[in-house]
Amino acid sequence: MASKKTIIKKIQIILTKHFESPQVAFNFFDKNGDGKLSKKEVVKLLKEAEINGFIRGLVGSKLIEGYDKDGDGKIDWKEFKVALKEMATDVL
């Protein structure tokens, strides 16, 4: 199974190399345009980041669990920015 560091690096690569900005990436993965990423949308992001299908669902759940501060089961833009900031420090 991929390490946390490897998963974070893959997420950072997809967000920085394939999109102009984190906001553009967030909007791309927010397929229904509700301003929040559902688990399904987070899993889609993980798929694009080439996270193994076996662990995608688990990682998606853990990301939402860890960063969903308002408890709605989704990650909004504010929570997404916090996640990116924390992921950047976790990789160092």
Side-chain angles (χ1 to χ4, degrees), residues 28-90:
F28 176 83
F29 290 107
D30 179 19
K31 294 296 184 189
N32 64 1
D34 67 351
K36 298 179 180 199
L37 298 181
S38 65
K39 181 179 176 188
K40 183 177 180 180
E41 291 166 330
V42 170
V43 167
K44 194 78 125 169
L45 184 156
L46 296 171
K47 183 177 182 181
E48 290 291 320
E50 299 180 0
I51 304 301
N52 182 303
F54 176 73
I55 63 168
R56 237 180 265 146
L58 178 64
V59 172
S61 292
K62 289 292 184 187
L63 285 171
I64 290 175
E65 181 182 304
Y67 295 108
D68 174 27
K69 300 304 180 194
D70 63 7
D72 66 354
K74 298 180 180 184
I75 298 177
D76 63 27
W77 171 240
K78 185 178 175 183
E79 294 163 339
F80 189 76
K81 289 190 296 186
V82 170
L84 293 179
K85 186 176 181 179
E86 288 182 16
M87 285 182 200
T89 60
D90 282 349

Side-chain angles (χ1 to χ4, degrees), residues 10-21 24-25 28-29 48-50:
K10 286 183 173 190
I11 292 170
Q12 288 176 324
I13 288 169
I14 192 73
L15 295 178
T16 58
K17 304 251 187 218
H18 299 280
F19 298 96
E20 288 178 16
S21 69
V24 171
F28 176 83
F29 290 107
E48 290 291 320
E50 299 180 0

